[in-house]
Amino acid sequence: MSTFTLDETERVAPDRGARRVLAIELVVVEGPSRGLRVPVRDGIAKVGTAEGNQLRLKDASVSRVHCELQVRAESVTLRDLGSTNGTFVADVRVRDADVPPGSLIRVGGSAFRIEAGDAPAFVALSARSEFGELLGDSIEMRGVYALLERASPTDTTLLFSGETGTGKDVAARSVHHASNRAAGPFIPVDCGAIPENLIESELFGHIRGAFTGAIGNRKGAFEEATGGTLFLDEIGEMPLSMQPKLLRALESRTIRRVGETKAVPVDVRVIAATNRDLARAVNEGTFREDLYYRLAVVELSLPPLRARRDDIPMLAQRFFQRLNNGADKNAELPQEVLAQLRERPWPGNVRELRNYVERLVTLGQWQPRLGDESSGLAAPTPSVLPAGIESIVPLHLPLKDARDAWTEEFESVYVRAMMKRTGGNLTHAAEQAGVSRRFLQRLIARLSLQIEIEDPEDE
């Protein structure tokens, strides 16, 4: 009979619904808060002097939001959040590093040690492969779904962070549709696209005569979202002068239109999103600390596409099926193409992937392949240029003139070939070329082509 040691059993997650991480405590060993012990819950903790930090230090040389720790299966990722005096491990200043349990972290005049428990901890994972419009079966996304499942039915304020294109707006809509406010409106506001002198009116509304151009009363986004969800996109771009008014609205659940003295109650759920590091902005003084913690009641970072490459084939197939207007609705991208997509860096994340697939569909670079059950699609269209084409490039001409000459020659070759293919039928040739008959007539005349037209309507 074989036996299992403790080490062997720890390497196996209990089920698909959880991810094993280290169970750790942060123990302050130096500084005014010496002796303080804080367990890390949900695999993430912030350290600083501000009230909302999991490890709050009473040390004037520590920044308000100094650093962040993300707990993983075998190590802890330590990230400095733009602190004034830096974060040090073994006297080496670090900005982003993986550190093992037992490491001593120095921040300002204080130091804390990462102590691991005897047993592992587990972070919940959802069994879903999609949540609303969000799609992905990776561990990273199932961890996101698990948090959204708990947060969506509540009115808790959410803050989504992540790189551009990771789907923060999609996540906000998905939460709205999964909430008790799904029947109400979903009102998005791009805080970075509104001039500073108009953002108060955009959010809270105004009354007639409040300022030049205010020719009538107008509701703001807060009132428009009553009974539903207000999505504040790019909240990091909110002007500093406007932040206290937004904080007051979040705290009191009342707003005051510009030019009016009466407060109006509002019933909205607020979801915010940013691609900026708001904790760093707090340290830099460009974002209010109290507003940050009021927005980040539940803070959730959406992973970049490079951190969940296993989701790329699923996302690409879904985009292709939505965008493909061909007759074969069951067509799929071939595996070799999906493998290539999986290895691309995708700095624009999911948005870039979608735009890439849309471009391929629009340009017709993949078409349904008849009689091939392996992929359902043809490979990308190969280049039609023959070898040695460079020898006939008109290098004696400037680029613009050479391009014009090539374009005219291409049009001439294309029209002759298309007319030959359709037996001189101008109507059929225009249809296959995707242009009007009149356009093709004028093109033939402009190019002075001698073509026999068999279409009686155009003889």
Side-chain angles (χ1 to χ4, degrees):
M1 178 182 294
S2 61
T3 59
F4 295 92
T5 67
L6 179 61
D7 287 340
E8 287 173 330
T9 58
E10 285 182 354
R11 292 193 182 94
V12 181
D15 54 50
R16 180 176 162 83
R19 173 169 56 95
R20 185 176 73 88
V21 297
L22 290 170
I24 67 168
E25 282 190 325
L26 306 181
V27 182
V28 182
V29 296
E30 294 181 23
S33 300
R34 181 178 179 180
L36 179 63
R37 302 176 70 95
V38 175
V40 176
R41 308 292 186 189
D42 296 325
I44 191 167
K46 284 186 171 64
V47 179
T49 59
E51 185 175 352
N53 291 292
Q54 283 77 13
L55 178 58
R56 188 182 182 190
L57 301 174
K58 298 178 180 179
D59 186 341
S61 60
V62 173
S63 295
R64 289 172 288 181
V65 190
H66 198 102
C67 63
E68 179 184 74
L69 298 96
Q70 293 186 2
V71 185
R72 307 193 184 280
E74 303 294 340
S75 65
V76 178
T77 298
L78 173 67
R79 188 166 67 97
D80 184 82
L81 298 176
S83 63
T84 301
N85 295 315
T87 302
F88 295 82
V89 179
D91 297 326
V92 177
R93 184 166 184 168
V94 299
R95 291 183 175 83
D96 193 330
D98 288 340
V99 295
S103 298
L104 185 68
I105 314 299
R106 295 190 176 278
V107 290
S110 300
F112 63 91
R113 185 168 53 247
I114 302 174
E115 293 190 356
D118 295 332
F122 295 93
V123 175
L125 297 177
S126 172
R128 299 170 180 249
S129 60
E130 54 188 291
F131 184 92
E133 299 177 47
L134 293 172
L135 181 67
D137 192 38
S138 61
I139 289 178
E140 291 78 8
M141 290 306 294
R142 288 195 289 120
V144 169
Y145 302 156
L147 291 174
L148 295 184
E149 287 170 352
R150 287 182 283 170
S152 294
T154 72
D155 279 345
T156 301
T157 305
L158 301 180
L159 175 62
F160 290 115
S161 60
E163 298 176 8
T164 298
T166 50
K168 298 181 289 295
D169 56 337
V170 174
R173 286 197 304 271
S174 299
V175 168
H176 170 71
H177 291 305
S179 72
N180 299 326
R181 296 174 173 268
F186 177 81
I187 305 297
V189 176
D190 188 344
C191 300
I194 305 172
E196 183 173 351
N197 62 328
L198 295 179
I199 193 165
E200 183 176 2
S201 173
E202 184 70 24
L203 291 178
F204 305 141
H206 62 258
I207 63 173
R208 180 179 179 182
F211 51 83
T212 302
I215 59 176
N217 295 346
R218 178 183 182 276
K219 289 183 179 180
F222 268 87
E223 288 186 86
E224 291 178 349
T226 296
T229 302
L230 174 62
F231 175 49
L232 301 177
D233 198 10
E234 301 302 341
I235 190 66
E237 307 303 321
M238 178 72 68
L240 193 59
S241 60
M242 185 63 196
Q243 293 177 23
K245 299 176 182 179
L246 176 60
L247 176 63
R248 185 164 55 250
L250 295 175
E251 293 285 0
S252 65
R253 294 295 166 175
T254 62
I255 58 98
R256 186 176 298 166
R257 295 180 181 179
V258 178
E260 193 171 46
T261 58
K262 179 183 176 182
V264 178
V266 289
D267 174 27
V268 297
R269 184 199 192 155
V270 175
I271 300 177
T274 180
N275 60 8
R276 292 182 58 190
D277 190 333
L278 289 190
R280 188 181 298 271
V282 168
N283 290 330
E284 294 171 350
T286 59
F287 202 85
R288 287 179 63 103
E289 174 189 319
D290 46 6
L291 177 57
Y292 168 60
Y293 283 112
R294 185 63 187 82
L295 292 169
V297 177
V298 175
E299 183 175 5
L300 200 155
S301 178
L302 295 181
L305 198 53
R306 62 181 176 276
R308 55 182 188 112
R309 292 186 181 277
D310 292 342
D311 291 337
I312 292 177
M314 182 186 300
L315 287 164
Q317 293 286 22
R318 176 67 62 85
F319 293 148
F320 178 80
Q321 290 168 358
R322 288 179 178 176
L323 295 166
N324 181 28
N325 295 320
D328 187 358
K329 298 299 183 182
N330 297 317
E332 293 184 350
L333 295 172
Q335 292 301 314
E336 58 269 23
V337 174
L338 295 177
Q340 295 174 5
L341 296 180
R342 191 180 183 280
E343 298 306 316
R344 291 172 64 96
W346 302 114
N349 295 296
V350 179
R351 183 183 294 122
E352 182 185 2
L353 174 62
R354 184 196 181 283
N355 292 343
Y356 183 82
V357 174
E358 182 177 6
R359 183 165 62 250
L360 295 175
V361 173
T362 301
L363 298 178
Q365 294 191 4
W366 287 299
Q367 299 294 336
R369 182 191 301 170
L370 300 177
D372 188 346
E373 300 179 356
S374 62
S375 66
L377 288 175
T381 303
S383 172
V384 297
L385 297 179
I389 190 68
E390 296 85 357
S391 62
I392 61 173
V393 174
L395 297 178
H396 62 287
L397 297 176
L399 174 61
K400 182 180 181 302
D401 295 338
R403 181 170 57 240
D404 292 342
W406 270 60
T407 299
E408 182 172 341
E409 186 63 29
F410 164 76
E411 290 175 341
S412 177
V413 173
Y414 182 90
V415 170
R416 286 197 300 265
M418 183 60 73
M419 292 298 292
K420 181 178 180 181
R421 178 180 180 180
T422 60
N425 191 308
L426 189 67
T427 300
H428 293 168
E431 290 176 352
Q432 295 187 30
V435 298
S436 67
R437 293 172 65 258
R438 184 61 176 163
F439 177 87
L440 190 55
Q441 283 178 320
R442 291 175 176 174
L443 184 60
I444 292 174
R446 178 170 62 81
L447 297 174
S448 302
L449 299 179
Q450 301 298 320
I451 297 177
E452 293 186 6
I453 298 176
E454 298 297 334
D455 190 346
E457 191 174 339
D458 292 283
E459 286 181 350

